[in-house]
């Protein structure tokens, strides 16, 4: 069957928040240390200790927001251990992630410096699990208070005169699990208490994000919204795409059987149902959609690469990951009324990373290329889009073979992103672009022959976007053939 897409170029459906393209960097494995921070005395080219190659790569995909320091690490992180002269900072054991020593060389000042270099907004996650109200309150004061106060004076003592602008602040992380194994009623009360002291100083306005549900814990959403929706700006949701079983074996990132491709696509598409069901509960308490759904951990989670520390969560990244990213981002764009931020896990060397490093070497993953192809959607106007797609039956679920998203940039350029999840068959797609002139059409495609095609340090450009010309224009219609397992980005000026 051919797949039909109808886009109305003059009917917009709100802005696609650029923060949907956000990222997440935790003190986990080689994400921060080696992946981002190498220290000023490293032989790896760096600026004030931060790797130049990684910063340049991340700037190229316009990272809008970066979440830090965790993750599970956030609820055992004590921010005062990470300020002052580095040689005096406390060394601690990273109990969640590999039992390695954390020397706290990368702390608040270094993170804010990284955000300045990337021209990205910081999203800081505070410690509810093992921290105190005072500790959280003082951290916000340290970062944002402009004037004389004990914490502002301490910041100045540590070399930073001006406060930092800070918008996004998470009050705890996964408090249903690694952040304290709490019940929703208990966390809702704690959230109400802690957020009271996350203060707005001067003109700095904090956007408070409450720790939301894991996967399909709809009761957690119900309780949090009922008890505290008026005190939050966002509610988080965590969901990972895992083809196998979380505890018994998640599946390999590269060497996987064919049926795991389909299972992975079906699991990735499941995020649509989760967004819609959690949103329905949120609508009950917040019909104006003031409170955003913040999907601040998502992506693939496979078994670690052989011979690596199981607590470092290092996995390769293939064309399959690229399709998971493309399908997920199309779904997030489509729910731009409620989804205002997402953060893929994680930026470098951990889970579905966009960048992998090996000492001084760095490679871009297929997932990186999807973020680069999709960056045109950031802060663009979503266009009304209707799609009729062939259906893939996987297990007992039916999912569309083709997903799509369309937006109009500020300069009037129309951008369309399409994914064909079928591992074997191309997809014929007919796009009816009403109200647009199709005189200048350019496209790129990301695809591969092997199911587990990926980039390596020896072959860094094995999977990368190339120009795509397999389309015909006829009036306002665009006919194209999407290769099997492909992501296509079309630009119409």
């Amino acid at each position: 069957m051919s797949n039909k897409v109808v886009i109305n170029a003059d009917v917009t459906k709100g802005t696609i928040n650029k923060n949907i393209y956000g990222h997440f960097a935790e003190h986990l494995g080689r994400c921060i240390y080696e992946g981002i921070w190498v220290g000023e005395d490293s032989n790896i080219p760096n600026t004030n200790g931060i790797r130049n190659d990684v910063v340049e790569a991340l700037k190229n995909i316009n990272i809008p927001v970066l979440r830090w320091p965790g993750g599970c690490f956030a609820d055992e992180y004590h921010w005062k251990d990470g300020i002052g002269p580095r040689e005096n900072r406390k060394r601690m054991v990273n109990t969640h992630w590999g039992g390695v020593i954390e020397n706290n060389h990368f702390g608040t000042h270094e993170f804010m410096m990284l955000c300045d270099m990337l021209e990205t907004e910081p999203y800081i996650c505070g410690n509810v699990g093992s921290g105190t109200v005072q500790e959280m309150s003082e951290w916000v004061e340290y970062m944002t208070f402009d004037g004389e106060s004990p914490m502002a004076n301490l910041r100045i003592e540590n070399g930073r005169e001006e406060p930092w602008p800070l918008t996004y602040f998470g009050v705890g992380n996964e408090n249903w699990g690694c952040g304290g194994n709490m019940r929703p009623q208990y966390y809702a009360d704690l959230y109400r208490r802690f957020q009271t002291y996350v203060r707005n100083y001067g003109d700095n306005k904090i956007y408070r994000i409450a720790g939301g549900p894991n996967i399909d814990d709809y009761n957690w959403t119900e309780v949090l919204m009922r008890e505290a929706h008026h005190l939050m700006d966002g509610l988080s949701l965590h969901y990972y795409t895992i083809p196998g079983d979380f505890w018994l074996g998640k599946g390999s990132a590269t060497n996987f059987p064919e049926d795991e491709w389909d299972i992975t696509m079906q699991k990735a598409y499941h995020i649509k149902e989760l967004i819609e069901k959690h949103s329905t509960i949120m609508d009950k308490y917040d019909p104006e959609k003031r409170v955003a759904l913040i999907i601040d951990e998502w992506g693939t989670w496979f078994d670690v690469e052989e011979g690596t520390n199981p607590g470092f969560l290092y996995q390769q990244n293939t064309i399959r990951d690229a399709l998971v990213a493309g399908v997920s981002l199309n779904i997030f764009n489509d729910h731009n009324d409620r989804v205002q931020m997402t953060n893929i896990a994680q930026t470098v060397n951990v889970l579905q990373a966009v960048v992998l490093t090996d000492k001084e070497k760095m490679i871009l993953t297929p997932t990186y290329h999807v973020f680069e192809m999709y960056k045109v959607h950031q802060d663009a106007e979503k266009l009304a889009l209707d799609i009729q797609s062939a259906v893939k039956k996987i297990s007992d679920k039916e999912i569309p073979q083709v997903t799509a998203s369309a937006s109009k940039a500020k300069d009037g350029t129309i951008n369309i992103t399409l994914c064909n999840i079928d591992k074997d068959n191309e997809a014929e797609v007919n796009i009816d672009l009403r109200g647009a002139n199709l005189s200048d059409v350019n496209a790129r495609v990301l695809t591969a022959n092997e199911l587990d095609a990926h980039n390596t340090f020896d072959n860094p450009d094995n999977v990368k976007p190339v120009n795509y010309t397999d389309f015909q224009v006829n009036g306002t219609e665009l006919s194209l053939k999407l290769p099997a397992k492909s992501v296509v980005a079309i630009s119409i000026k």
Side-chain angles (χ1 to χ4, degrees):
M1 137 177 196
S2 104
N3 305 275
K4 186 152 181 62
V5 179
V6 177
I7 299 170
N8 286 293
D10 42 11
V11 180
T12 57
K13 298 278 190 174
T15 302
I16 296 170
N17 194 320
K18 66 180 180 181
N19 291 332
I20 283 174
Y21 293 83
H23 290 256
F24 166 39
E26 182 169 10
H27 288 243
L28 193 175
R30 295 182 301 115
C31 183
I32 296 290
Y33 298 105
E34 189 196 310
I36 291 170
W37 176 262
V38 290
E40 290 110 325
D41 52 1
S42 170
N43 295 329
I44 296 169
N46 68 84
T47 302
N48 301 326
I50 291 172
R51 287 182 78 125
N52 294 342
D53 53 356
V54 171
V55 165
E56 191 183 333
L58 297 180
K59 279 189 81 165
N60 186 46
I61 53 173
N62 299 348
I63 287 192
V65 62
L66 184 61
R67 179 175 182 247
W68 173 85
C72 295
F73 183 80
D75 277 300
E76 62 176 1
Y77 180 65
H78 301 286
W79 69 270
K80 286 181 184 172
D81 296 346
I83 58 172
R86 287 194 200 103
E87 63 276 11
N88 299 341
R89 294 184 191 177
K90 241 187 225 179
R91 290 160 66 81
M92 62 182 273
V93 178
N94 191 335
T95 55
H96 284 293
W97 305 121
V100 294
I101 296 293
E102 159 68 57
N103 65 17
N104 276 304
H105 282 196
F106 190 89
T108 304
H109 289 254
E110 291 78 13
F111 174 66
M112 290 303 205
M113 175 173 68
L114 170 66
C115 290
D116 281 346
M117 288 179 180
L118 293 173
E119 296 171 36
T120 191
E121 287 214 57
Y123 167 14
I124 289 202
C125 190
N127 181 346
V128 170
S130 71
T132 63
V133 173
Q134 180 180 355
E135 180 183 32
M136 188 179 288
S137 177
E138 287 183 341
W139 199 7
V140 174
E141 182 189 329
Y142 183 88
M143 291 185 284
T144 66
F145 187 71
D146 189 8
E148 186 169 342
S149 80
M151 291 303 110
N153 293 350
L154 182 58
R155 182 189 71 236
I156 293 163
E157 221 175 280
N158 287 327
R160 173 77 187 195
E161 191 75 32
E162 299 292 313
W164 291 283
L166 173 69
T167 301
Y168 303 104
F169 195 92
V171 181
N173 167 76
E174 294 195 355
N175 300 98
W176 38 261
C178 66
N181 289 300
M182 301 173 192
R183 298 174 309 126
Q185 295 85 344
Y186 181 71
Y187 172 70
D189 285 342
L190 271 191
Y191 172 79
R192 290 169 64 120
R193 180 176 168 223
F194 271 74
Q195 68 79 36
T196 305
Y197 302 94
V198 177
R199 302 219 183 265
N200 294 329
Y201 291 111
D203 294 334
N204 192 76
K205 297 283 179 282
I206 301 268
Y207 184 103
R208 293 167 185 77
I209 297 167
N214 186 34
I215 314 175
D216 56 0
D217 185 350
Y218 300 116
N219 180 52
W220 187 281
T221 299
E222 178 80 39
V223 173
L224 263 289
M225 288 300 291
R226 185 182 70 223
E227 301 298 337
H229 69 92
H230 57 297
L231 297 171
M232 67 176 83
D233 299 296
L235 182 70
S236 74
L237 168 64
H238 290 181
Y239 176 66
Y240 286 97
T241 296
I242 302 167
D245 179 276
F246 187 84
W247 300 110
L248 301 178
K250 301 174 187 72
S252 170
T254 52
N255 201 3
F256 54 88
E258 282 200 15
D259 67 325
E260 273 187 21
W261 173 283
D262 288 342
I263 292 165
T264 304
M265 293 305 129
Q266 181 253 310
K267 297 274 184 85
Y269 194 73
H270 184 56
I271 192 78
K272 179 177 186 285
E273 179 184 318
L274 296 176
I275 291 169
E276 288 169 0
K277 288 188 172 175
H278 285 294
S279 295
T280 299
I281 297 166
M282 294 172 80
D283 286 344
K284 189 161 86 172
Y285 299 98
D286 173 38
E288 295 82 36
K289 300 188 193 295
R290 185 191 65 78
V291 179
L293 187 59
I294 308 284
I295 305 169
D296 55 18
E297 290 188 30
W298 67 275
T300 56
W301 193 332
F302 302 121
D303 296 329
V304 300
E305 295 302 309
E306 214 171 296
T308 65
N309 186 324
F312 279 15
L313 308 189
Y314 178 76
Q315 64 192 41
Q316 248 299 354
N317 195 290
T318 70
I319 189 68
R320 177 174 63 158
D321 295 83
L323 265 297
V324 169
V327 166
S328 301
L329 292 167
N330 282 343
I331 290 169
F332 300 154
N333 288 350
D334 195 38
H335 293 82
N336 66 326
D337 57 340
R338 183 65 85 177
V339 177
Q340 299 299 336
M341 186 198 297
T342 85
N343 308 78
I344 191 170
Q346 291 189 19
T347 315
V348 191
N349 291 333
V350 171
L351 298 175
Q352 192 175 350
V354 292
V355 168
L356 300 177
T357 67
D358 180 14
K359 302 183 180 68
E360 77 289 347
K361 294 183 187 157
M362 180 198 80
I363 55 173
L364 310 175
T365 67
T367 298
Y368 175 95
H369 293 305
V370 172
F371 272 81
E372 191 276 322
M373 292 164 78
Y374 276 57
K375 68 183 180 181
V376 289
H377 287 309
Q378 292 188 22
D379 276 350
E381 290 298 306
K382 186 178 94 170
L383 293 179
L385 180 149
D386 185 59
I387 182 167
Q388 289 174 306
S389 166
V391 167
K392 291 273 299 172
K393 196 163 173 38
I394 299 167
S395 315
D396 56 341
K397 297 268 175 30
E398 289 191 342
I399 66 169
Q401 179 186 354
V402 175
T403 67
S405 187
S407 68
K408 186 186 282 188
K410 289 182 174 65
D411 68 358
T413 304
I414 292 170
N415 291 293
I416 306 167
T417 49
L418 299 133
C419 295
N420 174 15
I421 63 158
D422 195 307
K423 67 183 186 302
D424 302 310
N425 302 300
E426 66 180 20
E428 290 188 10
V429 180
N430 186 266
I431 301 175
D432 184 3
L433 191 55
R434 296 173 183 172
N437 179 355
L438 299 189
S439 58
D440 185 1
V441 181
N442 289 289
R444 288 186 297 155
V445 62
L446 184 72
T447 189
N449 293 323
E450 296 85 30
L451 287 183
D452 66 348
H454 56 279
N455 297 330
T456 64
F457 295 98
D458 295 328
N459 188 2
D461 293 323
N462 184 38
V463 183
K464 67 174 188 181
V466 294
N467 282 338
Y468 169 79
T469 53
D470 199 3
F471 61 84
Q472 281 83 40
V473 176
N474 182 12
T476 64
E477 296 207 345
L478 192 60
S479 303
L480 54 156
K481 285 182 180 162
L482 303 181
K485 51 187 175 307
S486 68
V487 179
V488 170
I490 304 168
S491 172
I492 299 158
K493 287 194 163 57

